[in-house]
Amino acid sequence: MNPASLASFRQPASGAYVELDDLLSLRFAARELTLTPRQMSQSQLAGGVRTRFRGRGMEFEEVRHYQPGDDIRSIDWRVTARTQVTHTKLFREERERPVIVMLDQRSSMFFGSQHCFKSVVAAHTAALMGWAALANNDRIGALIFNDQQERDIRPKRSRHTLLNVLQETHNFNRQLSSPVSAEDSVSLSQRLSDLRRIAKPGSAIIIISDFRGLDDACDEQLYQLARHGDVSLLHVSDPIEAQLPDKMRLTITDGQQRHTVDTRDSTIKNTYHQQFTNHLQHLTTLAGQLALPLLNISTAEAPLIQLQALYGKKPCRR
């Protein structure tokens, strides 16, 4: 890609809503990313992802002593003749893995203080992950949800499926109108339970959310997902969620009522900051216990730059 063209993707996302053309254009930026599996693939379908499965594949793994049940076609006759002990060749198989992007478009995501709303940067992040998965010849699927609705798209290795994911992302994003959740909102734990239903063992699961409503029930669902899948947590946040600005009188509204917050009051600032810290600590501790990668995605920076910390391609060595 032309460096000048890539520079445009290194700028923060902007606006309160996503544009479908922007999601489509991110296919060029996704070339800078790679989705490398960290765990053994458990899919039984042939594909292009290298795993630690041993069997009849294309890439040589090692030679070991023959064991009852080994395929006689894999016997290494040269080593056997030299050592007078029967040896078998082992190969690294190639298997595919489904990639499922879980995208949060709830009311709590309809918030931002700088360049864009959290819902927008989350949508751009999901698009980048989808394009990177398709470029890696993975099957791509998604679970997109808001407060009351969800849309699951089963993983397939096709451009049409990814375009469907992007269209649904755009549709859900455009439905947002308020940062205040409805009283009958579906819990995050229920959404994670639905994800377990569609995520087959061996899937790469990328959860993009602010994780509002994270509780013990969510912890259990993530534990079950992590047992059989390769789960990554992408925590979406806005700088003002972590720290209120100094010495200002802020007017906040939910679209119906207004309220003034005086940030000169240290008690208000400290309480506000502590709430975010506790939430982030809970998520960080959980990720550590389950050995899951956790990456913070902020509205203040371009999604591509932030994703490169975890998914960036390694430079080639000569």
Side-chain angles (χ1 to χ4, degrees):
M1 182 187 299
N2 189 318
S5 301
L6 185 59
S8 62
F9 297 113
R10 298 187 180 279
Q11 301 299 318
S14 61
Y17 294 100
V18 299
E19 298 293 340
L20 187 56
D21 287 345
D22 292 339
L23 300 182
L24 295 172
S25 67
L26 287 170
R27 66 186 182 276
F28 302 110
R31 297 172 184 173
E32 301 297 309
L33 305 174
T34 179
L35 303 185
T36 303
R38 292 174 304 279
Q39 296 180 355
M40 185 185 303
S41 174
Q42 299 176 28
S43 173
Q44 297 303 308
L45 301 178
V49 176
R50 295 196 308 172
T51 74
R52 293 194 297 268
F53 275 104
R54 292 173 175 175
R56 295 189 57 82
M58 296 299 295
E59 184 174 346
F60 176 74
E61 174 75 12
E62 66 177 0
V63 173
R64 63 158 168 78
H65 288 159
Y66 176 85
Q67 296 178 1
D70 285 349
D71 192 333
I72 60 173
R73 293 175 297 177
S74 298
I75 292 178
D76 189 327
W77 296 107
R78 291 185 178 181
V79 176
T80 299
R82 186 172 64 250
T83 63
Q84 299 299 306
V85 179
T86 306
H87 282 73
T88 302
K89 289 181 180 179
L90 297 180
F91 298 87
R92 184 187 298 270
E93 289 190 8
E94 292 183 343
R95 304 203 175 192
E96 75 167 12
R97 59 170 185 166
V99 175
I100 300 178
V101 177
M102 182 180 184
L103 176 60
D104 187 349
Q105 291 287 285
R106 293 179 296 169
S107 297
S108 62
M109 299 286 286
F110 195 62
F111 174 80
S113 64
Q114 295 193 13
H115 302 282
C116 66
F117 282 11
K118 293 191 294 180
S119 53
V120 172
V121 75
H124 283 215
T125 301
L128 284 166
M129 293 288 94
W131 286 116
L134 192 64
N136 198 46
N137 204 32
D138 289 321
R139 289 187 289 152
I140 179 66
L143 175 64
I144 307 168
F145 64 98
N146 57 24
D147 292 321
Q148 298 166 321
Q149 299 174 313
E150 72 176 24
R151 173 78 164 92
D152 69 89
I153 301 171
R154 300 308 170 96
K156 293 182 180 180
R157 191 191 301 108
S158 75
R159 187 184 182 92
H160 177 76
T161 300
L162 178 56
L163 294 179
N164 190 17
V165 170
L166 299 183
Q167 182 64 62
E168 290 295 338
T169 296
H170 178 265
N171 294 342
F172 271 75
N173 182 263
R174 289 284 170 165
Q175 293 177 20
L176 290 168
S177 60
S178 170
V180 181
S181 303
E183 293 183 358
D184 57 347
S185 298
V186 179
S187 66
L188 179 60
S189 61
Q190 180 58 52
R191 299 304 188 195
L192 291 170
S193 176
D194 294 340
L195 178 61
R196 286 181 56 200
R197 173 175 49 83
I198 67 174
K200 302 301 182 182
S203 299
I205 302 169
I206 303 169
I207 303 177
I208 307 171
S209 173
D210 62 359
F211 294 93
R212 188 68 57 88
L214 186 69
D215 55 17
D216 292 342
C218 295
D219 295 357
E220 175 61 25
Q221 295 297 336
L222 287 171
Y223 168 74
Q224 295 297 334
L225 283 167
R227 288 182 60 192
H228 305 291
D230 184 11
V231 182
S232 299
L233 307 179
L234 306 187
H235 176 237
V236 182
S237 64
D238 185 87
I240 205 173
E241 289 183 311
Q243 187 70 52
L244 290 171
D246 291 326
K247 299 178 181 179
M248 294 182 64
R249 292 177 62 87
L250 303 177
T251 300
I252 58 177
T253 178
D254 60 1
Q256 297 179 345
Q257 299 180 348
R258 291 178 177 270
H259 184 70
T260 301
V261 177
D262 190 350
T263 62
R264 292 174 296 182
D265 188 332
S266 60
T267 301
I268 293 177
K269 286 192 62 178
N270 293 338
T271 301
Y272 182 88
H273 176 68
Q274 191 60 47
Q275 288 177 344
F276 179 82
T277 301
N278 292 342
H279 169 73
L280 186 58
Q281 184 59 49
H282 179 183
L283 185 60
T284 303
T285 301
L286 178 64
Q289 292 173 343
L290 301 180
L292 305 180
L294 172 62
L295 181 65
N296 185 64
I297 303 294
S298 172
T299 59
E301 291 187 73
L304 174 62
I305 295 177
Q306 299 176 81
L307 287 173
Q308 285 179 321
L310 185 59
Y311 298 105
K313 290 184 176 179
K314 295 181 180 180
C316 297
R317 295 183 179 179
R318 294 186 180 273

